[in-house]
Amino acid sequence: MLTNLSRRSILQALAGTALAAPFGAKAQTQTPPLRFIALFTPHGTVPEYWVPRGGETNFDITYPNSILAPLDKHRSRLLILDGLDYRVLYEHGTMGHEGAPVTFLTGSKVHMNGGEEFPGGISLDQELAQAAHIGGATRFRSMNLNAWEGGLSPQSKYNSISFASNAARMPFELNPFDVYTRLFGDMADPGDPEAARRALARRRSLVDFLIKDASRLRGRLGTNERQKLDSHLQALRDMEKRLESSGLTGCSKPTWEPAHNYNQYEITNLDLYPTLVQLHMQLIARAFACDLTRVVTLFMAGPPMPWLDINEDVHHNIAHMLDSGDASQREATRLRMVKVQLWYTQQVAYLMDQLAAVPEGNGTALDNTVILWGNELANPAGHTGVGVPMVLAGGAGGRFRMGRYLRLRPGVDPLSTWTGSGILQGAVAHNKLLVSIANAFGLPKRTTFGHPDYIGELPGLV
């Protein structure tokens, strides 16, 4: 009997089981869940090679040296957003690299604590993870991934974009083998339906036991403790319902797995970086296929890229040199920057390919996913957060009108009349995009996300 029931004891009892997962084939008539992926890439961009040409629906991203060209095959699943700013950074005291990972998903100004930058509150992914119908409906409320740490501290400001409600950085996974083991380690092997049935029966039995035992305890508790217990019971009953509707066999372990368990040297081996990125993306698609999670962040670092013959420091020797030298030197540097950013776009296209290969209802997992791809800077030569490149990708479950290019600030340079302090007129805060995404996922209706200065949704998305 559970004589010392607490939130921790409940979680410990469920840890190592698959109770929170809907282990089974979904009925085809069931509406697929909406999922969220946040991708963050560094160094800014080369605006003349990132901005699409043409109009809202007849946009062209296939012109020579177009950074977005690899996404053209998914153009009907794109919302390219030109003209968003990290207003909260430059209007509230922070410019440069450090603030962007902090504000990207939080919309918060930067707060200093012990020499490190932190936000003032929770990030969007963790808001979604806390929601009962999103993160609370799956075994893993969220997954936070990073393909290459490069020797930085796991709590470094340069490799974290996910923050808890107390503004602490959420831990992330580096090793795809560890991610695979966490997701699928206790699942039945494919081809053994009897083992899957036995596993499902054990999970149902454990949930039933926990509900009955906790219910017997309820009468002995005070009001506050009874309220805590009731929330535990509701969570357990939700799990029971998902198990009852899950079918007999459950989601079996995929036959694919990472080639081996990468050691610490390999995790920081630049030559393996492209492999590690794509292994993480394959795991995201497989996790979505089994509905093990609906919320993912992936931070892609910005080291030298020897596989592209980019052996110099991208940060100092390319990104910050875009406007240096004579005309021919500047163009040569800009084209090397295009090469770097094009590689990141290819990875986004690869992730979309993986999701598009997962059948779901009358479509695919890509149709029911919102991918938010953001960047650290706009023009890296000036360390600016004005016109930060951002793309929404996926079908978004029909919540947004995809297949468009939106010029959010057409023909207006907000810096041209700005004095360097106060509110910058004509600028569009990226906070509005966070508000729109939060509302699209059915979170309690809100008008702000992060800093309260920036109010309302981003117009034109629906």
Side-chain angles (χ1 to χ4, degrees), residues 91-166:
E91 291 181 358
H92 293 277
T94 303
M95 293 287 280
H97 302 274
E98 295 83 357
V102 170
T103 198
F104 172 52
L105 293 179
T106 67
S108 170
K109 67 176 290 186
V110 172
H111 300 265
M112 297 299 298
N113 185 356
E116 286 281 342
E117 288 85 357
F118 291 91
I122 194 169
S123 55
L124 174 60
D125 64 296
Q126 290 307 300
E127 281 272 23
L128 298 175
Q130 289 183 7
H133 68 292
I134 307 170
T138 60
R139 179 180 183 184
F140 301 102
R141 287 186 175 271
S142 66
M143 287 200 314
N144 300 299
L145 308 175
N146 190 321
W148 190 77
E149 190 178 11
L152 294 171
S153 162
Q155 289 297 301
S156 169
K157 58 197 173 190
Y158 291 115
N159 56 15
S160 301
I161 57 174
S162 181
F163 296 87
S165 56
N166 66 353

Side-chain angles (χ1 to χ4, degrees), residues 16-96:
T17 73
L19 290 175
F23 284 81
K26 297 282 190 296
Q28 291 301 305
T29 57
Q30 185 173 344
T31 302
L34 186 62
R35 306 177 181 94
F36 177 73
I37 302 172
L39 303 176
F40 186 84
T41 56
H43 300 315
T45 192
V46 185
E48 65 266 33
Y49 293 124
W50 184 85
V51 174
R53 298 175 182 175
E56 180 177 342
T57 58
N58 66 340
F59 60 88
D60 176 20
I61 53 175
T62 63
Y63 57 86
N65 299 314
S66 169
I67 290 171
L68 296 179
L71 296 179
D72 192 59
K73 60 183 173 181
H74 294 298
R75 60 182 293 120
S76 66
R77 293 289 182 265
L78 300 178
L79 253 176
I80 302 169
L81 305 174
D82 175 23
L84 284 176
D85 291 5
Y86 290 141
R87 286 183 64 179
V88 68
L89 296 185
Y90 60 67
E91 291 181 358
H92 293 277
T94 303
M95 293 287 280

Side-chain angles (χ1 to χ4, degrees), residues 10-328:
I10 288 287
L11 293 175
Q12 288 175 340
L14 299 182
T17 73
L19 290 175
F23 284 81
K26 297 282 190 296
Q28 291 301 305
T29 57
Q30 185 173 344
T31 302
L34 186 62
R35 306 177 181 94
F36 177 73
I37 302 172
L39 303 176
F40 186 84
T41 56
H43 300 315
T45 192
V46 185
E48 65 266 33
Y49 293 124
W50 184 85
V51 174
R53 298 175 182 175
E56 180 177 342
T57 58
N58 66 340
F59 60 88
D60 176 20
I61 53 175
T62 63
Y63 57 86
N65 299 314
S66 169
I67 290 171
L68 296 179
L71 296 179
D72 192 59
K73 60 183 173 181
H74 294 298
R75 60 182 293 120
S76 66
R77 293 289 182 265
L78 300 178
L79 253 176
I80 302 169
L81 305 174
D82 175 23
L84 284 176
D85 291 5
Y86 290 141
R87 286 183 64 179
V88 68
L89 296 185
Y90 60 67
E91 291 181 358
H92 293 277
T94 303
M95 293 287 280
H97 302 274
E98 295 83 357
V102 170
T103 198
F104 172 52
L105 293 179
T106 67
S108 170
K109 67 176 290 186
V110 172
H111 300 265
M112 297 299 298
N113 185 356
E116 286 281 342
E117 288 85 357
F118 291 91
I122 194 169
S123 55
L124 174 60
D125 64 296
Q126 290 307 300
E127 281 272 23
L128 298 175
Q130 289 183 7
H133 68 292
I134 307 170
T138 60
R139 179 180 183 184
F140 301 102
R141 287 186 175 271
S142 66
M143 287 200 314
N144 300 299
L145 308 175
N146 190 321
W148 190 77
E149 190 178 11
L152 294 171
S153 162
Q155 289 297 301
S156 169
K157 58 197 173 190
Y158 291 115
N159 56 15
S160 301
I161 57 174
S162 181
F163 296 87
S165 56
N166 66 353
R169 288 183 169 90
M170 296 295 294
F172 54 76
E173 296 276 4
L174 282 166
N175 193 333
F177 187 89
D178 293 342
V179 179
Y180 176 86
T181 301
R182 182 183 174 212
L183 290 171
F184 304 110
D186 64 351
M187 281 192 181
D189 291 322
D192 191 352
E194 184 56 37
R197 279 191 285 269
R198 289 195 301 270
L200 183 61
R202 287 194 299 271
R203 292 167 188 137
R204 285 175 172 163
S205 177
L206 178 56
V207 171
D208 185 58
F209 168 78
L210 289 169
I211 289 175
K212 289 180 180 177
D213 203 40
S215 297
R216 285 195 295 268
L217 196 65
R218 191 176 186 277
R220 308 178 193 176
L221 301 176
T223 302
N224 290 340
E225 290 301 313
R226 191 179 301 130
Q227 289 175 348
K228 294 178 183 177
L229 177 61
D230 286 344
S231 67
H232 294 323
L233 282 169
Q234 185 57 52
L236 289 168
R237 291 188 180 105
D238 289 343
M239 293 177 190
E240 185 177 46
K241 290 177 183 177
R242 291 200 297 276
L243 288 171
E244 289 301 323
S245 64
S246 68
L248 291 177
T249 58
C251 177
S252 63
K253 184 183 299 185
T255 55
W256 169 92
E257 63 179 291
H260 66 286
N261 190 353
Y262 292 89
N263 61 39
Q264 187 60 39
Y265 167 76
E266 291 170 314
I267 290 296
T268 58
N269 183 348
L270 273 179
D271 291 330
L272 285 176
Y273 181 37
T275 298
L276 296 173
V277 167
Q278 295 196 350
L279 284 175
H280 278 306
M281 289 178 170
Q282 291 173 29
L283 284 163
I284 292 170
R286 283 159 175 77
F288 283 3
C290 287
D291 202 18
L292 293 172
T293 191
R294 298 175 186 175
V295 181
V296 176
T297 65
L298 175 58
F299 188 105
M300 286 189 275
M305 298 180 173
W307 61 93
L308 299 178
D309 195 30
I310 302 285
N311 297 298
E312 63 266 50
D313 184 331
V314 177
H315 177 162
H316 290 106
N317 299 114
I318 297 179
H320 288 327
M321 302 299 289
L322 292 188
D323 292 337
S324 299
D326 59 29
S328 62

Side-chain angles (χ1 to χ4, degrees), residues 124 128 400 433-444 446 449:
L124 174 60
L128 298 175
F400 301 134
L433 176 59
L434 301 181
V435 171
S436 294
I437 295 173
N439 289 339
F441 272 85
L443 296 182
R446 62 198 310 156
F449 198 101

